[in-house]
Amino acid sequence: MTQAPATPKAVRRRHDREIISLAVPAFGALVAEPLFLMVDSAIVGHLGTPQLAGLAIAAALLATAVSVFVFLAYATTAAVARRVGAGDLQAAIRQGMDGIWLALLLGGAVVALTLPAAPWLVDVFGASDTAAPYAITYLRISSLGIPAMLVVLAAAGVLRGLQDTRTPLYVAIAGFAANAGLNVGLVYGAGLGIAGSAWGTVIAQCGMAAAYLVVVVRGARRHGASLRPDAAGIRACAQAGAPLLVRTLSLRAVLMIATAVAARLGDAEVAAHQIILSLWSLMAFALDAIAIAGQAIIGRYLGADDAEGARQVCRRMVQWGAVSGVVLGALIVLARPLFIPLFTGDTTVQDTLLPALLVVAVSQPIAGVVFVLDGVLMGAGDGPYLAWAMLLTLAVFAPVALLVPAMGGGLTALWWAMTLMMTVRMLTLWLRSRSGRWLVTGATR
């Protein structure tokens, strides 16, 4: 007796369960990561203002160094998920090991460059004479944890590709707790000051990397996958990640241009911009969780030669992204009287902030669609298109944003330019998703 085909409602429910099961733990892990810096800031802040200023500069440099290599997670997720969909777990884990070896090589190179260049990097950021020594100390010590953080990115990509977002959540929570405890003990208990905060973070990061490696190595042994570095595999991982590196650098350039323009508008404007950017980044975590689910699920469907299933789940995730954006936008509008005073008591900054914040609220449904389609195309391994699309977006955004001060526009005009940037991204991603050219099936793209 043949089984009746699933109804559209049943298919949607199955997709919803998949998305929720992957997105919710992914969101928890994403939110846990920035808490590292918050803990460091809270503890170091009690040492004094120069120490906190030094931490801020070093942390900005470290965050940039790590975020540039986020492709280690994205490319690994897509590649591993395809192998999982094809039913070849041994090859999936082998692919993941190549990504981890690449992370170690890149991490070592970054440390080798950062240690001698730390004073110059801190000076470029304009550190004061009192803050610079603390920034150099924190940067040099914390840079030793960069290889561990890159391993965390790659290993998290492996587990996401294996459809496991719970383990990254547990590791992130444990790492956050260890970081907090070590920071308090080393900064105050051992009297190491800002150096203690840096060492505590490095130890916590190495512990997280070790936990991931235990899980991945256990899986490799279970499925008979080799743990040895493979030059061809590492090179393939680097080639797959290169377009995503271009995409990430282009996106970072957009954010840097926006901040530079805000700084030219005045002190109140740049202060308000920083508050909005913080909120915008926080909302991005919620939307990025759906994108991570998209990377894992789409890769698996395409690896299983199910192009129609990939198309259906893409359509459902876009609906999720749009609805999530509407909800987040409404929350911004409704909660603004509560959270704006938490960030600043300066009425000038508050008055500058409010209209620009409403623009951000209006743009959230667009952001929801962008994040989801970005994740879908990453899951499909469509990195070259993402790179060219983001370069086009940057080319449209840069002149518009730079014209804001010249045309007498304020912060609200700048955030309309940011909304234009997101709209261009949405159009380029939507056109690609509609074309179906990303629907390349098989264990490898």
Side-chain angles (χ1 to χ4, degrees), residues 26 30 74 283-293 295 371:
L30 289 169
Y74 295 158
M283 289 180 291
F285 286 129
L287 299 174
D288 204 26
I290 305 174
I292 287 172
Q295 293 171 30
F371 274 81

PDB file of all heavy atoms in Angstrom, residues 26 30 74 283-293 295 371:
ATOM      1  N   ALA A  26      20.848  27.894  17.956  1.00  0.00           N
ATOM      2  CA  ALA A  26      21.823  28.754  17.277  1.00  0.00           C
ATOM      3  C   ALA A  26      21.742  30.180  17.799  1.00  0.00           C
ATOM      4  O   ALA A  26      22.765  30.846  18.000  1.00  0.00           O
ATOM      5  CB  ALA A  26      21.588  28.733  15.760  1.00  0.00           C
ATOM      6  N   LEU A  30      24.734  32.377  19.517  1.00  0.00           N
ATOM      7  CA  LEU A  30      25.124  33.666  18.971  1.00  0.00           C
ATOM      8  C   LEU A  30      25.099  34.760  20.031  1.00  0.00           C
ATOM      9  O   LEU A  30      25.983  35.614  20.093  1.00  0.00           O
ATOM     10  CB  LEU A  30      24.196  34.048  17.813  1.00  0.00           C
ATOM     11  CG  LEU A  30      24.353  33.254  16.515  1.00  0.00           C
ATOM     12  CD1 LEU A  30      23.202  33.551  15.578  1.00  0.00           C
ATOM     13  CD2 LEU A  30      25.677  33.563  15.852  1.00  0.00           C
ATOM     14  N   TYR A  74      30.751  29.445   7.867  1.00  0.00           N
ATOM     15  CA  TYR A  74      29.756  29.405   6.793  1.00  0.00           C
ATOM     16  C   TYR A  74      30.079  28.358   5.732  1.00  0.00           C
ATOM     17  O   TYR A  74      29.232  27.540   5.362  1.00  0.00           O
ATOM     18  CB  TYR A  74      29.650  30.790   6.130  1.00  0.00           C
ATOM     19  CG  TYR A  74      29.129  31.884   7.027  1.00  0.00           C
ATOM     20  CD1 TYR A  74      29.392  33.220   6.746  1.00  0.00           C
ATOM     21  CD2 TYR A  74      28.375  31.588   8.159  1.00  0.00           C
ATOM     22  CE1 TYR A  74      28.910  34.241   7.567  1.00  0.00           C
ATOM     23  CE2 TYR A  74      27.889  32.602   8.980  1.00  0.00           C
ATOM     24  CZ  TYR A  74      28.168  33.924   8.675  1.00  0.00           C
ATOM     25  OH  TYR A  74      27.695  34.919   9.481  1.00  0.00           O
ATOM     26  N   MET A 283      19.577  42.638  17.027  1.00  0.00           N
ATOM     27  CA  MET A 283      18.473  42.080  16.240  1.00  0.00           C
ATOM     28  C   MET A 283      18.998  41.153  15.146  1.00  0.00           C
ATOM     29  O   MET A 283      18.338  40.182  14.778  1.00  0.00           O
ATOM     30  CB  MET A 283      17.642  43.211  15.640  1.00  0.00           C
ATOM     31  CG  MET A 283      16.824  43.970  16.686  1.00  0.00           C
ATOM     32  SD  MET A 283      15.836  45.304  15.971  1.00  0.00           S
ATOM     33  CE  MET A 283      17.107  46.469  15.489  1.00  0.00           C
ATOM     34  N   ALA A 284      20.190  41.456  14.664  1.00  0.00           N
ATOM     35  CA  ALA A 284      20.786  40.607  13.631  1.00  0.00           C
ATOM     36  C   ALA A 284      21.038  39.197  14.144  1.00  0.00           C
ATOM     37  O   ALA A 284      20.984  38.236  13.370  1.00  0.00           O
ATOM     38  CB  ALA A 284      22.091  41.230  13.131  1.00  0.00           C
ATOM     39  N   PHE A 285      21.317  39.063  15.448  1.00  0.00           N
ATOM     40  CA  PHE A 285      21.536  37.725  16.007  1.00  0.00           C
ATOM     41  C   PHE A 285      20.291  36.860  15.842  1.00  0.00           C
ATOM     42  O   PHE A 285      20.380  35.675  15.494  1.00  0.00           O
ATOM     43  CB  PHE A 285      21.912  37.810  17.485  1.00  0.00           C
ATOM     44  CG  PHE A 285      23.316  38.288  17.724  1.00  0.00           C
ATOM     45  CD1 PHE A 285      23.570  39.323  18.594  1.00  0.00           C
ATOM     46  CD2 PHE A 285      24.391  37.705  17.075  1.00  0.00           C
ATOM     47  CE1 PHE A 285      24.857  39.773  18.819  1.00  0.00           C
ATOM     48  CE2 PHE A 285      25.688  38.144  17.286  1.00  0.00           C
ATOM     49  CZ  PHE A 285      25.917  39.184  18.166  1.00  0.00           C
ATOM     50  N   ALA A 286      19.124  37.430  16.113  1.00  0.00           N
ATOM     51  CA  ALA A 286      17.875  36.674  15.986  1.00  0.00           C
ATOM     52  C   ALA A 286      17.650  36.245  14.539  1.00  0.00           C
ATOM     53  O   ALA A 286      17.270  35.096  14.259  1.00  0.00           O
ATOM     54  CB  ALA A 286      16.705  37.514  16.482  1.00  0.00           C
ATOM     55  N   LEU A 287      17.890  37.162  13.610  1.00  0.00           N
ATOM     56  CA  LEU A 287      17.682  36.845  12.198  1.00  0.00           C
ATOM     57  C   LEU A 287      18.766  35.907  11.674  1.00  0.00           C
ATOM     58  O   LEU A 287      18.506  35.049  10.824  1.00  0.00           O
ATOM     59  CB  LEU A 287      17.656  38.136  11.382  1.00  0.00           C
ATOM     60  CG  LEU A 287      16.530  39.119  11.762  1.00  0.00           C
ATOM     61  CD1 LEU A 287      16.691  40.429  11.005  1.00  0.00           C
ATOM     62  CD2 LEU A 287      15.164  38.509  11.502  1.00  0.00           C
ATOM     63  N   ASP A 288      19.991  36.059  12.201  1.00  0.00           N
ATOM     64  CA  ASP A 288      21.094  35.200  11.764  1.00  0.00           C
ATOM     65  C   ASP A 288      20.880  33.756  12.206  1.00  0.00           C
ATOM     66  O   ASP A 288      21.379  32.826  11.560  1.00  0.00           O
ATOM     67  CB  ASP A 288      22.416  35.725  12.324  1.00  0.00           C
ATOM     68  CG  ASP A 288      23.611  35.282  11.483  1.00  0.00           C
ATOM     69  OD1 ASP A 288      23.420  35.021  10.280  1.00  0.00           O
ATOM     70  OD2 ASP A 288      24.717  35.193  12.027  1.00  0.00           O
ATOM     71  N   ALA A 289      20.146  33.563  13.302  1.00  0.00           N
ATOM     72  CA  ALA A 289      19.857  32.199  13.759  1.00  0.00           C
ATOM     73  C   ALA A 289      19.048  31.448  12.700  1.00  0.00           C
ATOM     74  O   ALA A 289      19.281  30.262  12.445  1.00  0.00           O
ATOM     75  CB  ALA A 289      19.100  32.236  15.077  1.00  0.00           C
ATOM     76  N   ILE A 290      18.092  32.132  12.070  1.00  0.00           N
ATOM     77  CA  ILE A 290      17.317  31.510  10.995  1.00  0.00           C
ATOM     78  C   ILE A 290      18.219  31.242   9.794  1.00  0.00           C
ATOM     79  O   ILE A 290      18.106  30.211   9.121  1.00  0.00           O
ATOM     80  CB  ILE A 290      16.128  32.398  10.587  1.00  0.00           C
ATOM     81  CG1 ILE A 290      15.256  32.718  11.804  1.00  0.00           C
ATOM     82  CG2 ILE A 290      15.278  31.714   9.515  1.00  0.00           C
ATOM     83  CD1 ILE A 290      14.145  33.707  11.520  1.00  0.00           C
ATOM     84  N   ALA A 291      19.151  32.174   9.533  1.00  0.00           N
ATOM     85  CA  ALA A 291      20.087  31.994   8.415  1.00  0.00           C
ATOM     86  C   ALA A 291      20.968  30.770   8.631  1.00  0.00           C
ATOM     87  O   ALA A 291      21.258  30.028   7.695  1.00  0.00           O
ATOM     88  CB  ALA A 291      20.944  33.251   8.253  1.00  0.00           C
ATOM     89  N   ILE A 292      21.413  30.562   9.874  1.00  0.00           N
ATOM     90  CA  ILE A 292      22.237  29.391  10.184  1.00  0.00           C
ATOM     91  C   ILE A 292      21.446  28.109   9.946  1.00  0.00           C
ATOM     92  O   ILE A 292      21.958  27.136   9.386  1.00  0.00           O
ATOM     93  CB  ILE A 292      22.752  29.472  11.635  1.00  0.00           C
ATOM     94  CG1 ILE A 292      23.843  30.544  11.735  1.00  0.00           C
ATOM     95  CG2 ILE A 292      23.285  28.116  12.109  1.00  0.00           C
ATOM     96  CD1 ILE A 292      24.273  30.847  13.142  1.00  0.00           C
ATOM     97  N   ALA A 293      20.183  28.113  10.374  1.00  0.00           N
ATOM     98  CA  ALA A 293      19.322  26.967  10.090  1.00  0.00           C
ATOM     99  C   ALA A 293      19.216  26.752   8.585  1.00  0.00           C
ATOM    100  O   ALA A 293      19.245  25.609   8.092  1.00  0.00           O
ATOM    101  CB  ALA A 293      17.937  27.182  10.699  1.00  0.00           C
ATOM    102  N   GLN A 295      21.454  27.540   6.251  1.00  0.00           N
ATOM    103  CA  GLN A 295      22.696  26.956   5.732  1.00  0.00           C
ATOM    104  C   GLN A 295      22.705  25.436   5.889  1.00  0.00           C
ATOM    105  O   GLN A 295      23.046  24.699   4.959  1.00  0.00           O
ATOM    106  CB  GLN A 295      23.888  27.544   6.490  1.00  0.00           C
ATOM    107  CG  GLN A 295      24.134  29.016   6.238  1.00  0.00           C
ATOM    108  CD  GLN A 295      25.177  29.574   7.190  1.00  0.00           C
ATOM    109  OE1 GLN A 295      26.071  28.864   7.633  1.00  0.00           O
ATOM    110  NE2 GLN A 295      25.065  30.844   7.520  1.00  0.00           N
ATOM    111  N   PHE A 371      18.703  38.284   5.576  1.00  0.00           N
ATOM    112  CA  PHE A 371      19.465  37.317   6.359  1.00  0.00           C
ATOM    113  C   PHE A 371      19.137  35.883   5.942  1.00  0.00           C
ATOM    114  O   PHE A 371      20.030  35.040   5.837  1.00  0.00           O
ATOM    115  CB  PHE A 371      19.190  37.511   7.852  1.00  0.00           C
ATOM    116  CG  PHE A 371      20.070  38.537   8.500  1.00  0.00           C
ATOM    117  CD1 PHE A 371      19.783  39.895   8.396  1.00  0.00           C
ATOM    118  CD2 PHE A 371      21.193  38.165   9.209  1.00  0.00           C
ATOM    119  CE1 PHE A 371      20.592  40.843   8.976  1.00  0.00           C
ATOM    120  CE2 PHE A 371      22.021  39.100   9.802  1.00  0.00           C
ATOM    121  CZ  PHE A 371      21.722  40.453   9.690  1.00  0.00           C
TER     122      PHE A 371
END
